[in-house]
Amino acid sequence: MLKETPERITYAQKKLLNLIEQRKLRSWCLENGVTHPSAYRLALGEQALTYKTMAQMCNLISPIEWLFFTDEKLPYEPVLLPPFPFDKPCKYVTEHKKDYKVIEQKYNLEHNQAFNIFVTHRTKPTPIFIRKVCDEVNPIEFFTPSEDALKSVIKFVPERGVKKSITFRIELDNLSWLQSNGVKGYQSKLNNVIRWARENNCPIFEL
């Protein structure tokens, strides 16, 4: 039986509550890889909304729908996005790294909070902060990769180093993957993969 619902709910909560009333929440969670107890508590307002939750469910519930109540008009059209890696800096955070003090003063953030959001990335933007920014910015910018991140993926061109011939054993599935687009040039692809992992601080000694 559905517990008492809050008097004021967000558009996202309304979607989850509808699923509960239709007895479809559990199957919806199973189909989409969502933890059922968490979704249930979020619907009833018994669990605090976090940036991580919003980022992981971008493909199911638009970020804007978590931020506004049903008695409010949505300032932007709801848009579904791919799940966002919440541990990576988003477009908005990256773009305001240099002028974070302006954002700090404008939205009344504590200095340490602003510094850790925009500079060190140790802290994630809170839903309350994102809601405040909605007056000027579509919240999808908090769940969109930065331009620099996109360029590093799309236009990654490794620097060439001095090469040395070596002999080693490689597992067949890895070899098949390297040669999936043809045998020619697979060694260069392997070099590129290793260089990318090294330059992106892949924890090789922990593997």
Side-chain angles (χ1 to χ4, degrees):
M1 183 176 179
L2 182 63
K3 296 181 182 179
E4 185 176 350
T5 59
E7 291 184 4
R8 204 171 184 222
I9 59 173
T10 64
Y11 286 87
Q13 285 178 288
K14 183 178 180 180
K15 285 188 173 183
L16 295 176
L17 287 169
N18 286 341
L19 289 170
I20 293 174
E21 292 173 354
Q22 297 167 13
R23 298 182 180 277
K24 295 181 179 179
L25 181 65
R26 188 177 297 276
S27 59
W28 181 84
C29 289
L30 288 172
E31 290 172 5
N32 295 291
V34 177
T35 304
H36 176 262
S38 293
Y40 187 86
R41 291 195 295 270
L42 283 166
L44 297 178
E46 296 178 351
Q47 179 172 313
L49 177 65
T50 64
Y51 178 77
K52 178 179 178 180
T53 297
M54 295 177 69
Q56 291 177 327
M57 296 179 68
C58 278
N59 61 321
L60 304 171
I61 299 177
S62 175
I64 194 72
E65 294 178 297
W66 289 108
L67 304 173
F68 287 83
F69 295 101
T70 53
D71 59 359
E72 298 176 299
K73 183 179 179 180
L74 291 176
Y76 303 97
E77 191 72 23
V79 176
L80 295 180
L81 305 166
F84 183 71
F86 61 91
D87 57 334
K88 303 294 184 184
C90 60
K91 180 180 179 182
Y92 184 86
V93 167
T94 303
E95 289 180 351
H96 292 284
K97 181 176 182 178
K98 294 182 179 180
D99 65 343
Y100 78 93
K101 290 185 178 180
V102 176
I103 303 298
E104 173 189 330
Q105 294 179 355
K106 187 173 185 177
Y107 296 104
N108 197 28
L109 297 175
E110 293 184 3
H111 174 72
N112 287 343
Q113 181 187 13
F115 183 80
N116 285 329
I117 289 175
F118 292 98
V119 181
T120 68
H121 309 310
R122 293 176 181 173
T123 301
K124 300 305 171 189
T126 64
I128 293 175
F129 169 62
I130 299 173
R131 157 84 191 222
K132 291 180 180 179
V133 177
C134 283
D135 289 341
E136 298 182 356
V137 176
N138 191 320
I140 63 174
E141 293 199 10
F142 287 87
F143 306 94
T144 304
S146 66
E147 295 296 329
D148 289 342
L150 290 173
K151 289 177 183 178
S152 68
V153 173
I154 298 172
K155 297 183 179 180
F156 172 70
V157 180
E159 296 179 1
R160 300 299 178 184
V162 178
K163 294 182 178 179
K164 180 178 180 179
S165 179
I166 62 171
T167 301
F168 70 100
R169 294 179 179 275
I170 185 172
E171 294 175 356
L172 289 177
D173 56 339
N174 287 330
L175 180 61
S176 297
W177 175 68
L178 286 168
Q179 296 179 341
S180 58
N181 290 325
V183 175
K184 184 178 180 180
Y186 83 91
Q187 291 176 323
S188 295
K189 293 175 185 175
L190 178 58
N191 249 324
N192 293 348
V193 169
I194 295 172
R195 185 179 297 279
W196 182 91
R198 176 167 63 84
E199 293 182 350
N200 285 274
N201 299 315
C202 179
I204 186 171
F205 299 109
E206 298 176 14
L207 300 178

